[in-house]
Amino acid sequence: MGKYLPRPGAWERAGLRPPRGSDELLPSGITYGPFTMSSSTPATANGNDSKKFKGDRSPCSPSRVLHLRKIPNDVTEAEVISLGLPFGKVTNLLMLKGKSQAFLEMASEEAAVTMVNYYTPVTPHLRSQPVYIQYSNHRELKTDNLPNQARAQAALQAVNAVQSGGLALAGVPTADGGLPPGQSSVLRIIVENLFYPVTLEVLYQIFSKFGTVLKIITFTKNNQFQALLQYSDPVNAHYAKMALDGQNIYNACCTLRIDFSKLTSLNVKYNNDKSRDFTRLDLPSGDGQPSIDPTMAAAFGTPGIISSPYAGAAGFAPAIGFPQAAGLSVSAVPSALGPLAITTSAMTGRLAIPGVTGIPGNSVLLVSNLNPDAITPDGLFILFGVYGDVHRVKIMFNKKENALVQMADATQSQLAMNHLNGQKLYGKVLRVTLSKHQTVQLPREGQEDQGLTKDYSNSPLHRFKKPGSKNFQNIFPPSATLHLSNIPPSITVEDLKSLFGNTGCNVKNFKFFPKDRKMALIQLGSVEEAIQALIELHNHNLGENHHLRVSFSKSTI
């Protein structure tokens, strides 16, 4: 073990405690490599006779300080910082090059959680070498009195100057979230070296890691498979381009070339294997019809060349076997992410996105490591309902730490998994994976259930029932700041502060919207507090026939 540790005193000078045993080197409950997601799914029965959950260790508690191992000796500070940039602001860095280690401090715990969730199934690469990332046991980095920190601080200052708009670099968001002219929320994607089919479902799975994908159109131009993809926010498009441009979807092939489109919005006419509007589940499939609006076709050439690159082959699986998660390193591509991890179902074009024929079953999520003393079916319904319409919830009768949550479709289950896996709820770190079950079964008549299984198919609280609802454009990761709406005129600031304070939350800040007092932002003490407050107070009756609406906000006060 001694060869992995920094020289005596280095940990203390950084404000850290030396790790006990293999504490920082082999984290509990965190695994790396391409098979993390699939191997973490416990064999759980869809009924009252749940089987013993193997590997039931709790993951490391989330921290905004991340520990990086196997850092190449010749890597620069800027390259290490680049791993964290797509997920938020990087506030500090400690390089231990002699030990091939580094510590990266993010501005918030939620940014660190998003980063770990992304890089767990997709091992990142620096200088063509795999790098391993885990939560640190330390809550912050103190590097003021450390020698050899000048380069790290200079790199951080340069990045902060860019992000705050201090440097006029094209394509970098400013502090207020604005973007330079010419950058929209629409990306134009070209896939080069197309050795295996790339489907709309594959693109959705990759790009949804960086934000809410609203629309996708795929087509062929100049014998190249291309796509247009629209995010809900231009900042999401910027980070996706920064992280994914030049990456391989599959091992050593299917390279992404990404640019900003001149279009500011996409007009999708049909939902099928060529195009998809995720805000309009009511669109027809339009079999045999052009999937792109004729007015947009002029941007790509004659309408005749716009067609599916693999017509009728959405379920085609490559005849040549290759890694299921496509997570092997490619030495020829020195990149931050390495090949992108794609599940087998998406790789073969069989992810069950609504309107696209596929194998059902991906709409059910397995949620584990719950706090059995605090969680209820209604609580899971409210929380997962932020990311889709929950149809059924079943908390396991014999193992109440586990539950099944059935979403309306696979798109929503993927969205919920991306945002909620790794979040902390009632003192426990949630694990969210796709279940092997296709539906959640309701208990048979007379079967003891203790109210642990509920059907919410016809609930009036579904946020996404209405086609084209604005809720599709307001889906954000859990955050300490909540967006409140439907507030009656008689309710005051103190009323709302008291309401949230009574749930055990520490209210740090509050602000009504200046032009609309029906809406407000409230900042709580932590992301965990905000999650619990949302569960307890969404749809709370404020009187005057007004029920409070609560969602996560991308803004801060």
Side-chain angles (χ1 to χ4, degrees):
M1 291 299 299
K3 67 179 182 178
Y4 291 105
L5 299 179
R7 63 184 182 278
W11 298 90
E12 289 82 356
R13 287 199 302 273
L16 310 176
R17 291 175 299 172
R20 293 169 293 181
S22 58
D23 172 77
E24 286 283 20
L25 303 174
L26 297 171
S28 169
I30 300 285
T31 56
Y32 296 92
F35 303 106
T36 301
M37 297 302 290
S38 58
S39 62
S40 64
T41 306
T44 317
N46 184 7
N48 296 332
D49 55 338
S50 61
K51 297 179 182 179
K52 183 69 177 175
F53 178 12
K54 296 180 181 179
D56 202 21
R57 294 181 301 169
S58 297
C60 289
S61 178
S63 165
R64 68 190 184 101
V65 179
L66 300 173
H67 181 223
L68 286 67
R69 297 180 293 119
K70 304 287 188 182
I71 299 290
N73 289 333
D74 57 347
V75 78
T76 67
E77 286 79 358
E79 286 175 291
V80 176
I81 293 170
S82 73
L83 292 176
L85 283 183
F87 308 97
K89 184 178 181 181
V90 178
T91 51
N92 210 346
L93 171 67
L94 173 64
M95 298 281 284
L96 301 171
K97 285 191 176 181
K99 310 302 176 186
S100 301
Q101 300 181 45
F103 288 87
L104 197 69
E105 180 186 273
M106 304 298 290
S108 66
E109 185 178 295
E110 59 204 273
V113 168
T114 305
M115 181 173 169
V116 170
N117 286 349
Y118 182 82
Y119 286 136
T120 297
V122 187
T123 304
H125 287 61
L126 289 174
R127 302 280 175 118
S128 305
Q129 299 299 316
V131 176
Y132 301 96
I133 301 177
Q134 65 200 57
Y135 296 118
S136 168
N137 285 338
H138 312 293
R139 313 311 295 180
E140 63 176 337
L141 289 179
K142 297 178 181 178
T143 59
D144 295 344
N145 300 322
L146 282 180
N148 305 319
Q149 273 295 102
R151 287 170 58 92
Q153 293 307 311
L156 284 167
Q157 287 173 12
V159 168
N160 290 337
V162 167
Q163 288 191 325
S164 63
L167 296 179
L169 293 186
V172 178
T174 58
D176 62 0
L179 287 165
Q183 291 193 8
S184 73
S185 57
V186 179
L187 294 176
R188 179 169 179 167
I189 303 155
I190 298 174
V191 183
E192 296 179 348
N193 193 17
L194 192 69
F195 193 73
Y196 299 114
V198 173
T199 64
L200 183 149
E201 295 89 339
V202 167
L203 293 176
Y204 178 85
Q205 183 173 347
I206 295 169
F207 283 84
S208 63
K209 298 285 186 182
F210 294 88
T212 303
V213 175
L214 300 183
K215 304 169 186 177
I216 302 176
I217 295 171
T218 63
F219 56 94
T220 299
K221 180 185 178 184
N222 299 332
N223 293 321
Q224 283 185 314
F225 174 61
Q226 302 190 25
L228 292 168
L229 183 144
Q230 181 179 344
Y231 277 107
S232 60
D233 193 312
V235 173
N236 300 135
H238 166 81
Y239 283 133
K241 179 183 183 300
M242 185 169 64
L244 299 176
D245 187 29
Q247 301 300 322
N248 291 335
I249 296 178
Y250 301 125
N251 205 29
C253 67
C254 300
T255 306
L256 293 170
R257 301 296 180 200
I258 304 171
D259 283 304
F260 291 100
S261 171
K262 294 179 181 179
L263 299 167
T264 57
S265 181
L266 300 180
N267 184 11
V268 176
K269 298 171 63 178
Y270 303 105
N271 284 339
N272 51 38
D273 64 338
K274 307 180 191 76
S275 63
R276 183 78 200 159
D277 185 337
F278 297 98
T279 72
R280 294 286 308 277
L281 304 186
D282 59 326
L283 289 180
S285 62
D287 293 335
Q289 298 296 322
S291 59
I292 189 169
D293 189 275
T295 59
M296 296 173 59
F300 316 107
T302 58
I305 62 172
I306 298 167
S307 60
S308 171
Y310 290 93
F316 170 78
I320 304 172
F322 59 96
Q324 288 186 344
L328 300 182
S329 63
V330 184
S331 57
V333 184
S335 59
L337 299 179
L340 304 166
I342 306 299
T343 61
T344 307
S345 61
M347 180 186 73
T348 56
R350 290 157 62 182
L351 189 65
I353 287 179
V356 179
T357 57
I359 296 177
N362 286 325
S363 62
V364 179
L365 296 168
L366 172 65
V367 187
S368 50
N369 203 39
L370 293 163
N371 184 335
D373 298 324
I375 200 62
T376 64
D378 288 346
L380 290 172
F381 166 73
I382 294 295
L383 177 58
F384 281 76
V386 173
Y387 300 106
D389 292 337
V390 177
H391 283 193
R392 291 179 181 178
V393 175
K394 175 189 284 289
I395 296 176
M396 297 305 177
F397 185 79
N398 292 327
K399 189 167 180 59
K400 295 182 175 63
E401 296 86 357
N402 291 351
L404 294 175
V405 177
Q406 183 177 337
M407 309 295 290
D409 56 58
T411 303
Q412 295 178 3
S413 66
Q414 184 75 39
L415 202 58
M417 182 172 71
N418 289 348
H419 286 304
L420 295 177
N421 182 46
Q423 297 292 345
K424 206 170 181 182
L425 176 62
Y426 299 124
K428 308 274 278 183
V429 178
L430 292 181
R431 285 189 295 238
V432 184
T433 58
L434 293 174
S435 171
K436 66 179 181 180
H437 300 291
Q438 297 182 13
T439 60
V440 170
Q441 297 175 0
L442 296 175
R444 296 185 296 272
E445 188 176 349
Q447 183 179 9
E448 185 182 4
D449 180 67
Q450 298 179 350
L452 297 176
T453 305
K454 286 197 173 183
D455 188 311
Y456 298 96
S457 301
N458 298 314
S459 172
L461 297 184
H462 285 165
R463 298 178 189 242
F464 306 99
K465 265 186 176 178
K466 186 178 177 182
S469 166
K470 287 186 177 180
N471 289 337
F472 283 101
Q473 301 180 40
N474 293 299
I475 298 174
F476 304 111
S479 61
T481 304
L482 295 172
H483 179 276
L484 313 180
S485 60
N486 204 36
I487 303 170
S490 61
I491 296 294
T492 66
V493 172
E494 292 307 316
D495 290 334
L496 290 168
K497 282 186 175 180
S498 174
L499 178 65
F500 280 81
N502 289 339
T503 67
C505 293
N506 175 22
V507 179
K508 288 194 166 184
N509 213 337
F510 182 92
K511 183 177 75 173
F512 273 114
F513 277 50
K515 296 180 181 179
D516 188 355
R517 280 182 57 89
K518 293 179 182 178
M519 297 191 290
L521 295 178
I522 187 167
Q523 183 182 344
L524 304 180
S526 67
V527 177
E528 182 180 9
E529 283 186 14
I531 292 174
Q532 291 170 200
L534 182 143
I535 288 174
E536 295 181 37
L537 295 178
H538 179 66
N539 200 46
H540 180 81
N541 190 350
L542 294 174
E544 302 176 44
N545 202 28
H546 283 69
H547 288 77
L548 184 65
R549 298 287 178 258
V550 185
S551 57
F552 298 115
S553 173
K554 70 171 180 178
S555 305
T556 55
I557 304 175

